[in-house]
Amino acid sequence: MKVNIKNEVKSYYGNIAKRVNSKSKNACGCGSDTTNNSKLYTKDFIQGLPDEVVNASLGCANPVVLANPQKGEVVLDLGSGGGIDVFISSKYVGETGKVYGLDMTDEMLKLANDNKEKIGVNNVQFIKGYIEDIPLNNETINVVTSNCVINLCESKEDALREAYRVLKKGGRLAIADVVMLKDIPESIKQSVEMWVGCIAGALPVKEYNRILAKIGFKDIEITPVNIYTKEIIEDIAKQKNLGDVYSKIDSDLVDGAFAGAHVKAYKL
């Protein structure tokens, strides 16, 4: 990933962690009004989690539903942030399983570890690193999850190849991500600000499928679950203080061009 994009992403999400730590509830992610996580997570998923976990959720869908983690499995969550999907998965894998959360941002890792201490879970470990270079051994993971993070990488292929590498044979990729449903102008694709806004970096569904197949994944399913209207994209831009950037875009061009999607595939 280019330094300017990676640094912008790291800085933005680091600042969100600081705001959550300071009790602010202005965190926002790749979906509209994401501080109301009942739109992404039903009560049975987030029950018992501290406000700091829920308020730091920056996703576009619920990957744990797709992943369906089982007792004794080892799960890796890429770009784990404040840890919401890690902690939810930890309930399902139980004491005989384990969940890793990988994040590149010191502030998010601190927030996640503080949350871990509050919850008192023993089957969770947060590690620092980049999803394009996962610091885990080959074939050690049963399930790789992620929530609106792959689209932030400039090289999705590198990130997805790393996910494939650490998966055991028979393991599964089960992620939520933003995808592109129709073409958009190149100027939007190249906008660093809109990368941070989770939009410009999204892959077309066919390209996403092609990359997964090239890497070696089988039984690939990419299902849009939350279509982004121009009103939703405008709301995302405002939440991320990108209103000036969005105002220069023809809103009809992005209306329905993006969606939060479930992406599932297997390493057979």
Side-chain angles (χ1 to χ4, degrees), residues 194-245:
M194 296 313 288
W195 274 79
V196 176
C198 304
I199 294 171
L203 285 176
V205 172
K206 287 185 178 180
E207 177 65 6
Y208 215 131
N209 197 307
R210 185 194 68 79
I211 290 173
L212 288 169
K214 176 184 176 183
I215 291 167
F217 281 105
K218 306 295 183 183
D219 297 337
I220 301 164
E221 297 179 7
I222 302 175
T223 308
V225 291
N226 298 314
I227 307 297
Y228 291 177
T229 64
K230 59 185 178 182
E231 290 82 11
I232 289 176
I233 295 175
E234 182 179 13
D235 189 28
I236 294 171
K238 288 179 178 177
Q239 289 183 41
K240 291 176 173 287
N241 297 318
L242 299 175
D244 289 344
V245 177

Coordinates of all heavy atoms in Angstrom, one line a residue, residues 194-245:
M194 N -11.3 9.5 0.0 CA -12.4 8.6 -0.1 C -11.9 7.1 0.1 O -12.8 6.3 0.5 CB -13.0 8.7 -1.5 CG -13.7 10.1 -1.7 SD -14.8 10.6 -0.4 CE -16.2 9.5 -0.5
W195 N -10.6 6.9 0.1 CA -10.1 5.6 0.5 C -10.4 5.5 2.0 O -10.9 4.4 2.5 CB -8.6 5.4 0.3 CG -8.3 4.9 -1.1 CD1 -8.2 5.7 -2.3 CD2 -7.9 3.6 -1.4 NE1 -7.9 4.9 -3.3 CE2 -7.6 3.6 -2.8 CE3 -7.7 2.5 -0.7 CZ2 -7.2 2.5 -3.5 CZ3 -7.2 1.3 -1.4 CH2 -7.0 1.3 -2.8
V196 N -10.0 6.5 2.8 CA -10.3 6.5 4.2 C -11.7 6.4 4.5 O -12.2 5.8 5.5 CB -9.7 7.8 4.8 CG1 -10.0 7.9 6.3 CG2 -8.2 7.9 4.6
G197 N -12.6 6.9 3.6 CA -14.0 6.8 3.7 C -14.5 5.5 3.3 O -15.8 5.3 3.2
C198 N -13.7 4.5 3.0 CA -14.0 3.1 2.7 C -14.7 2.9 1.4 O -15.2 1.9 1.1 CB -15.0 2.5 3.8 SG -14.4 2.6 5.5
I199 N -14.6 3.9 0.5 CA -15.4 3.8 -0.7 C -14.5 3.6 -1.9 O -14.6 2.7 -2.7 CB -16.3 5.1 -0.9 CG1 -17.3 5.1 0.2 CG2 -16.9 5.1 -2.3 CD1 -18.1 6.4 0.2
A200 N -13.5 4.5 -2.1 CA -12.7 4.5 -3.3 C -11.9 3.2 -3.5 O -11.6 2.8 -4.6 CB -11.8 5.7 -3.4
G201 N -11.6 2.5 -2.4 CA -10.8 1.3 -2.5 C -11.6 0.1 -2.8 O -11.0 -1.0 -2.9
A202 N -12.9 0.1 -2.9 CA -13.7 -1.1 -3.1 C -13.5 -1.7 -4.4 O -13.3 -1.0 -5.4 CB -15.2 -0.7 -2.9
L203 N -13.5 -3.0 -4.5 CA -13.3 -3.8 -5.7 C -14.7 -4.1 -6.3 O -15.6 -4.4 -5.6 CB -12.6 -5.1 -5.4 CG -11.1 -5.1 -5.1 CD1 -10.7 -6.5 -4.8 CD2 -10.3 -4.6 -6.4
P204 N -14.7 -4.2 -7.7 CA -15.9 -4.7 -8.3 C -16.1 -6.2 -7.9 O -15.1 -6.9 -7.7 CB -15.6 -4.6 -9.8 CG -14.6 -3.5 -9.9 CD -13.8 -3.7 -8.6
V205 N -17.3 -6.7 -7.8 CA -17.6 -8.0 -7.4 C -16.9 -9.1 -8.3 O -16.2 -10.0 -7.8 CB -19.1 -8.3 -7.4 CG1 -19.4 -9.8 -7.1 CG2 -19.8 -7.5 -6.4
K206 N -16.9 -8.9 -9.6 CA -16.2 -9.8 -10.5 C -14.7 -9.9 -10.2 O -14.1 -10.9 -10.3 CB -16.5 -9.5 -11.9 CG -17.9 -9.8 -12.4 CD -18.1 -9.5 -13.9 CE -19.5 -9.9 -14.3 NZ -19.7 -9.6 -15.8
E207 N -14.1 -8.7 -10.0 CA -12.7 -8.6 -9.7 C -12.3 -9.3 -8.4 O -11.3 -10.0 -8.3 CB -12.2 -7.2 -9.7 CG -10.7 -7.0 -9.4 CD -9.8 -7.6 -10.5 OE1 -10.3 -8.0 -11.5 OE2 -8.6 -7.5 -10.2
Y208 N -13.2 -9.1 -7.4 CA -13.0 -9.7 -6.1 C -13.0 -11.2 -6.3 O -12.1 -11.9 -5.8 CB -14.1 -9.3 -5.2 CG -13.7 -9.1 -3.7 CD1 -14.1 -7.9 -3.0 CD2 -13.0 -10.1 -3.0 CE1 -13.8 -7.8 -1.7 CE2 -12.7 -9.9 -1.7 CZ -13.1 -8.7 -1.0 OH -12.8 -8.6 0.3
N209 N -14.0 -11.7 -7.0 CA -14.1 -13.2 -7.3 C -12.9 -13.7 -8.0 O -12.3 -14.7 -7.7 CB -15.4 -13.4 -8.1 CG -15.8 -14.9 -8.0 OD1 -15.0 -15.8 -8.3 ND2 -17.0 -15.1 -7.7
R210 N -12.4 -12.9 -9.0 CA -11.2 -13.3 -9.8 C -10.0 -13.5 -8.9 O -9.2 -14.5 -9.0 CB -11.0 -12.3 -10.9 CG -9.8 -12.7 -11.9 CD -9.4 -11.6 -12.7 NE -8.7 -10.6 -11.9 CZ -7.4 -10.7 -11.5 NH1 -6.7 -11.8 -11.8 NH2 -6.9 -9.7 -10.9
I211 N -9.8 -12.5 -8.0 CA -8.6 -12.5 -7.2 C -8.7 -13.7 -6.2 O -7.7 -14.4 -6.0 CB -8.5 -11.2 -6.4 CG1 -8.1 -10.1 -7.3 CG2 -7.4 -11.3 -5.3 CD1 -8.1 -8.7 -6.7
L212 N -9.8 -13.9 -5.6 CA -10.0 -15.1 -4.7 C -9.7 -16.4 -5.4 O -9.0 -17.3 -4.8 CB -11.4 -15.1 -4.1 CG -11.7 -14.0 -3.1 CD1 -13.2 -13.9 -2.8 CD2 -10.9 -14.2 -1.8
A213 N -10.2 -16.5 -6.6 CA -10.0 -17.8 -7.4 C -8.5 -17.9 -7.7 O -7.9 -19.0 -7.7 CB -10.9 -17.8 -8.6
K214 N -7.9 -16.8 -8.1 CA -6.4 -16.9 -8.5 C -5.6 -17.3 -7.4 O -4.6 -18.1 -7.5 CB -6.0 -15.5 -9.0 CG -4.5 -15.3 -9.3 CD -4.2 -13.9 -9.6 CE -2.7 -13.7 -9.9 NZ -2.3 -12.3 -10.1
I215 N -5.9 -16.9 -6.2 CA -5.1 -17.2 -5.0 C -5.3 -18.7 -4.6 O -4.4 -19.4 -4.1 CB -5.6 -16.4 -3.8 CG1 -5.1 -14.9 -4.0 CG2 -5.0 -16.9 -2.5 CD1 -5.8 -13.9 -3.0
G216 N -6.5 -19.3 -5.0 CA -6.7 -20.7 -4.7 C -8.0 -21.0 -3.9 O -8.3 -22.1 -3.7
F217 N -8.7 -20.0 -3.6 CA -10.0 -20.2 -2.8 C -11.0 -20.9 -3.7 O -11.1 -20.7 -4.9 CB -10.5 -18.8 -2.3 CG -9.9 -18.3 -1.1 CD1 -9.0 -17.2 -1.2 CD2 -10.1 -18.9 0.2 CE1 -8.3 -16.7 -0.1 CE2 -9.5 -18.4 1.3 CZ -8.6 -17.3 1.2
K218 N -11.8 -21.7 -3.1 CA -12.9 -22.4 -3.8 C -14.3 -22.0 -3.1 O -14.3 -21.5 -2.1 CB -12.7 -23.9 -3.7 CG -11.3 -24.4 -4.1 CD -11.1 -24.1 -5.6 CE -9.7 -24.7 -6.1 NZ -9.5 -24.4 -7.5
D219 N -15.3 -22.4 -3.8 CA -16.7 -22.2 -3.4 C -16.9 -20.8 -2.9 O -17.4 -20.5 -1.8 CB -17.0 -23.2 -2.2 CG -16.9 -24.6 -2.6 OD1 -17.1 -24.9 -3.8 OD2 -16.8 -25.5 -1.7
I220 N -16.6 -19.9 -3.8 CA -16.6 -18.4 -3.5 C -18.0 -17.9 -3.6 O -18.7 -18.2 -4.6 CB -15.7 -17.7 -4.5 CG1 -14.2 -18.2 -4.3 CG2 -15.8 -16.2 -4.2 CD1 -13.3 -17.7 -5.5
E221 N -18.4 -17.1 -2.6 CA -19.7 -16.5 -2.6 C -19.6 -15.0 -2.2 O -19.0 -14.8 -1.1 CB -20.7 -17.2 -1.7 CG -21.0 -18.6 -2.0 CD -22.0 -19.3 -1.0 OE1 -22.5 -18.5 -0.1 OE2 -22.2 -20.5 -1.1
I222 N -20.0 -14.1 -3.0 CA -20.0 -12.7 -2.7 C -21.4 -12.2 -2.8 O -22.0 -12.1 -3.8 CB -19.1 -11.9 -3.6 CG1 -17.6 -12.5 -3.5 CG2 -19.0 -10.4 -3.2 CD1 -16.7 -11.9 -4.5
T223 N -22.0 -11.8 -1.6 CA -23.4 -11.4 -1.6 C -23.6 -10.0 -1.0 O -23.3 -9.8 0.2 CB -24.2 -12.4 -0.7 OG1 -23.9 -13.7 -1.1 CG2 -25.6 -12.1 -0.7
P224 N -23.9 -9.0 -1.8 CA -24.2 -7.7 -1.3 C -25.4 -7.7 -0.3 O -26.4 -8.3 -0.6 CB -24.6 -6.9 -2.5 CG -23.9 -7.6 -3.6 CD -24.0 -9.0 -3.3
V225 N -25.2 -7.1 0.9 CA -26.3 -7.2 1.9 C -26.8 -5.8 2.3 O -27.9 -5.6 2.8 CB -25.8 -7.9 3.2 CG1 -25.7 -9.4 2.9 CG2 -24.5 -7.4 3.7
N226 N -25.9 -4.7 2.1 CA -26.3 -3.4 2.4 C -26.0 -2.5 1.2 O -24.8 -2.1 1.1 CB -25.6 -2.9 3.7 CG -26.0 -3.7 4.9 OD1 -27.1 -4.0 5.1 ND2 -25.0 -4.0 5.7
I227 N -26.9 -2.1 0.4 CA -26.7 -1.2 -0.8 C -26.5 0.2 -0.3 O -27.4 0.7 0.5 CB -27.8 -1.3 -1.8 CG1 -28.0 -2.8 -2.2 CG2 -27.4 -0.5 -3.0 CD1 -26.9 -3.5 -2.8
Y228 N -25.5 0.9 -0.7 CA -25.2 2.3 -0.3 C -25.9 3.3 -1.3 O -25.4 3.4 -2.5 CB -23.7 2.6 -0.3 CG -23.0 1.9 0.9 CD1 -21.6 2.0 1.0 CD2 -23.7 1.1 1.8 CE1 -21.0 1.4 2.0 CE2 -23.0 0.5 2.8 CZ -21.7 0.6 2.9 OH -21.0 0.0 3.9
T229 N -27.0 3.9 -0.9 CA -27.6 4.9 -1.7 C -26.7 6.2 -1.6 O -25.8 6.3 -0.8 CB -29.0 5.3 -1.2 OG1 -28.9 5.8 0.1 CG2 -29.9 4.0 -1.2
K230 N -27.0 7.2 -2.5 CA -26.2 8.4 -2.4 C -26.4 9.1 -1.1 O -25.5 9.8 -0.6 CB -26.5 9.3 -3.6 CG -28.0 9.8 -3.7 CD -28.2 10.6 -4.9 CE -29.7 11.0 -5.1 NZ -29.9 11.7 -6.4
E231 N -27.6 8.9 -0.5 CA -27.8 9.5 0.9 C -27.0 8.9 1.9 O -26.4 9.6 2.8 CB -29.3 9.4 1.2 CG -30.3 10.3 0.4 CD -30.6 9.7 -0.9 OE1 -30.3 8.5 -1.2 OE2 -31.2 10.3 -1.8
I232 N -26.8 7.6 1.9 CA -26.0 6.9 2.8 C -24.5 7.3 2.6 O -23.8 7.5 3.6 CB -26.1 5.3 2.7 CG1 -27.5 4.9 3.2 CG2 -25.0 4.6 3.4 CD1 -27.8 3.4 3.0
I233 N -24.1 7.4 1.4 CA -22.7 7.8 1.1 C -22.4 9.2 1.6 O -21.4 9.5 2.2 CB -22.3 7.6 -0.4 CG1 -22.4 6.1 -0.7 CG2 -20.9 8.2 -0.7 CD1 -22.2 5.9 -2.2
E234 N -23.4 10.1 1.4 CA -23.2 11.4 1.9 C -23.1 11.4 3.4 O -22.3 12.2 4.0 CB -24.4 12.3 1.5 CG -24.3 13.7 1.9 CD -25.5 14.6 1.5 OE1 -26.5 14.0 1.0 OE2 -25.4 15.8 1.6
D235 N -23.9 10.6 4.1 CA -23.9 10.5 5.5 C -22.5 10.0 6.0 O -21.9 10.5 7.0 CB -25.0 9.6 6.0 CG -25.2 9.6 7.5 OD1 -24.8 10.6 8.1 OD2 -25.6 8.6 8.1
I236 N -22.0 9.0 5.3 CA -20.6 8.5 5.7 C -19.6 9.6 5.5 O -18.7 9.8 6.4 CB -20.3 7.3 4.7 CG1 -21.2 6.1 5.0 CG2 -18.8 6.9 5.0 CD1 -21.0 4.9 4.0
A237 N -19.7 10.3 4.4 CA -18.7 11.4 4.2 C -18.8 12.5 5.3 O -17.8 12.9 5.8 CB -19.0 12.0 2.8
K238 N -20.0 12.8 5.7 CA -20.2 13.8 6.8 C -19.6 13.3 8.1 O -19.0 14.0 8.8 CB -21.6 14.2 6.9 CG -22.2 15.1 5.7 CD -23.6 15.4 5.9 CE -24.2 16.3 4.8 NZ -25.6 16.6 5.0
Q239 N -19.9 12.0 8.4 CA -19.4 11.4 9.6 C -17.9 11.5 9.7 O -17.3 11.6 10.7 CB -19.9 10.0 9.8 CG -21.4 9.9 10.1 CD -21.8 8.4 10.3 OE1 -21.1 7.7 10.9 NE2 -22.9 8.1 9.8
K240 N -17.3 11.3 8.5 CA -15.8 11.2 8.4 C -15.2 12.6 8.1 O -14.0 12.7 7.7 CB -15.4 10.2 7.4 CG -15.7 8.8 7.8 CD -15.3 7.8 6.7 CE -15.5 6.4 7.1 NZ -14.4 6.0 8.0
N241 N -16.0 13.7 8.2 CA -15.5 15.0 7.9 C -15.0 15.1 6.5 O -14.1 15.8 6.2 CB -14.5 15.5 8.9 CG -15.0 15.5 10.3 OD1 -16.1 16.0 10.5 ND2 -14.2 15.0 11.2
L242 N -15.7 14.4 5.5 CA -15.3 14.5 4.1 C -16.4 15.1 3.3 O -16.5 14.9 2.1 CB -15.1 13.0 3.6 CG -14.0 12.2 4.3 CD1 -13.9 10.8 3.8 CD2 -12.6 12.9 4.1
G243 N -17.2 16.0 3.9 CA -18.3 16.6 3.2 C -17.8 17.5 2.1 O -18.5 17.5 1.0
D244 N -16.7 18.2 2.2 CA -16.2 19.0 1.2 C -15.8 18.1 0.0 O -16.0 18.5 -1.2 CB -15.0 19.8 1.7 CG -15.4 20.9 2.6 OD1 -16.6 21.2 2.7 OD2 -14.5 21.4 3.3
V245 N -15.2 17.0 0.3 CA -14.8 16.1 -0.8 C -16.0 15.5 -1.5 O -16.1 15.5 -2.8 CB -14.0 14.9 -0.3 CG1 -13.6 13.9 -1.4 CG2 -12.7 15.4 0.4

